[in-house]
Amino acid sequence: MKVPFVDFKASVIGDKAAMLAAIERSLDGGSIILGAELAAFESEFAAWCGASHCVGVGNGLDAISFVLRAWGIGPGDEVIVPSQTFVATWLAVSHVGATPVEVDVEPDTVLLDAALIEAAITPRTRAIIPVHLFGQTVDMDSVVAVARRHGLKVIEDAAQAHGALYKGRRAGTLADAAAFSFYPTKNLGALGDAGAITTDDAELAAKLRMLRNYGSTVKYHHDVAGYNSRLDDVQAAVLRVKLRALDEANADRRAAAARYDRMLAGFAPVGGLVTRPDCAHVFHLYVVMVDDRDGVLQRMKARGVDAAIHYPVAPGDQKAYGMAAGRVSAIHGRAAAARALSLPFWPQITQEQQVAVVDALRVAVRREQAA
């Protein structure tokens, strides 16, 4: 059986008729930028998260960098980031002129290790960006406690955690602000690039709305040197449709993840990541750890199973950053970059497809062991 990494039509497009109707409604409304559909989505998404404000922007990278800019973080400042994440987390810090300072991740979750943060704080540290990687939340109480002791801001990178719960609270409400990406394959995905920020801080929200729109609140009057990064109404209309089905889709993801857990139980060569007991995971990705990861991936693809890698090069090892290859602070992040394998996964994946994936994984791993 051939199994794609993600079924684009089922997972990304979803209810095509409802989506086309939403797009038509947006077009008939006569406003494509900063219109009624965006206002409605911002209100609905904020309420769904449990936040006071939502500000739609062009993508998840801008969502993080705009918050940093609004806080006045820039050259000479430092921002703590995890050693393993998608590079956008680090790029947002670089884009405002600040310096990303890496703190290693936990080996069994690949989440920022809160116990290591304090040692990385210097007089130049201004903020911490915990990343809710793969769909579960960081130990936010510990992160926020460290931040408060040192007078630091905290922004959740919630790009992979739409709907994840931490001690009963949704991602997006666990810090001073949160950044979301609505890239098409996210749990809540648009049909192109899109992003948003949630916060309870009305002053911050007002600054963000100004930054995203050329630094303007009144047309042709620009109070700051802003940017053009607005979540357009067509994408907002699509996201409104998908938001209504998101809780059900996340429940389907959890059920599919539980099936993988059962199928892989006892197969020692494949290590699963731990789900934190205080977190309701939304499984943006289902990730396992294997030796000879690249070889296993190629052997799985040869059997028609399209697994993937997130992310093969840790940010600190990218040419953009070029940190010392021998650094010890990123030992677990670099190990995850070398061993993490994402199995095919989407809400509608069938048990039959998952059996084919696990069979291919077992064969691929055993061949590596026999080599």
Side-chain angles (χ1 to χ4, degrees):
M1 175 185 292
K2 290 186 178 298
V3 183
F5 178 67
V6 62
D7 185 328
F8 184 84
K9 289 184 178 180
S11 180
V12 177
I13 296 180
D15 189 343
K16 186 175 179 179
M19 213 168 298
L20 290 174
I23 293 171
E24 186 173 353
R25 183 182 68 238
S26 174
L27 297 177
D28 289 344
S31 179
I32 301 300
I33 300 294
L34 299 180
E37 290 293 333
L38 175 59
F41 171 72
E42 289 175 330
S43 176
E44 291 163 5
F45 189 66
W48 185 81
C49 289
S52 300
H53 305 277
C54 171
V55 180
V57 295
N59 53 71
L61 172 57
D62 285 350
I64 303 173
S65 65
F66 284 6
V67 173
L68 298 175
R69 288 184 189 280
W71 285 337
I73 295 174
D77 296 328
E78 295 177 349
V79 177
I80 290 174
V81 292
S83 62
Q84 176 63 334
T85 178
F86 181 54
V87 74
T89 311
W90 287 47
L91 291 177
V93 178
S94 299
H95 284 183
V96 300
T99 300
V101 175
E102 68 178 341
V103 167
D104 209 5
V105 295
E106 300 167 339
D108 56 354
T109 65
V110 199
L111 298 174
L112 179 68
D113 190 336
L116 302 178
I117 292 174
E118 201 138 25
I121 294 173
T122 76
R124 296 194 297 169
T125 307
R126 295 285 308 282
I128 306 169
I129 308 179
V131 179
H132 303 322
L133 198 65
F134 304 148
Q136 69 170 326
T137 59
V138 175
D139 177 7
M140 289 302 296
D141 281 355
S142 297
V143 173
V144 171
V146 173
R148 296 298 174 255
R149 285 198 298 271
H150 293 271
L152 307 178
K153 293 289 191 180
V154 180
I155 175 171
E156 303 168 68
D157 182 337
Q160 300 185 9
H162 313 76
L165 297 177
Y166 175 75
K167 297 183 178 181
R169 297 168 58 199
R170 287 199 200 268
T173 65
L174 307 174
D176 299 297
F180 288 89
S181 166
F182 303 124
Y183 184 79
T185 55
K186 302 295 187 184
N187 292 45
L188 178 61
L191 296 182
D193 279 319
I197 303 109
T198 55
T199 184
D200 287 335
D201 186 336
E203 182 180 354
L204 173 62
K207 289 180 179 179
L208 293 169
R209 291 190 179 98
M210 187 183 302
L211 279 173
R212 74 177 177 185
N213 188 38
Y214 298 100
S216 172
T217 55
V218 177
K219 194 170 184 178
Y220 301 131
H221 294 266
H222 308 274
D223 299 327
V224 298
Y227 302 85
N228 175 19
S229 181
R230 302 166 297 196
L231 173 55
D232 67 68
D233 274 40
V234 170
Q235 298 294 356
V238 168
L239 289 167
R240 293 182 68 196
V241 171
K242 291 195 167 189
L243 182 60
R244 292 195 289 269
L246 184 53
D247 285 327
E248 181 180 355
N250 282 340
D252 289 342
R253 286 176 181 271
R254 292 189 185 101
R259 288 197 298 269
Y260 269 142
D261 287 346
R262 291 191 296 270
M263 292 176 188
L264 290 168
F267 187 49
V270 174
L273 296 179
V274 172
T275 296
R276 294 178 49 83
D278 53 11
C279 175
H281 205 315
V282 292
F283 291 96
H284 171 58
L285 298 168
Y286 187 92
V287 178
V288 297
M289 297 291 173
V290 295
D291 293 331
D292 186 34
R293 189 266 320 282
D294 295 353
V296 169
L297 173 61
Q298 292 307 312
R299 288 188 287 274
M300 290 181 70
K301 288 189 173 185
R303 292 178 62 88
V305 172
D306 191 15
I309 300 172
H310 298 84
Y311 301 95
V313 182
D317 289 330
Q318 300 284 352
K319 289 183 179 180
Y321 293 99
M323 291 186 172
R327 70 193 192 283
V328 296
S329 62
I331 184 171
H332 297 310
R334 299 176 87 198
R339 300 186 69 234
L341 179 68
S342 300
L343 301 186
F345 198 75
W346 63 94
Q348 303 85 1
I349 191 170
T350 66
Q351 182 168 324
E352 183 182 17
Q353 288 171 316
Q354 289 183 277
V355 168
V357 171
V358 172
D359 286 347
L361 175 60
R362 287 175 177 269
V363 170
V365 169
R366 285 172 178 149
R367 286 186 181 174
E368 182 272 328
Q369 291 177 318

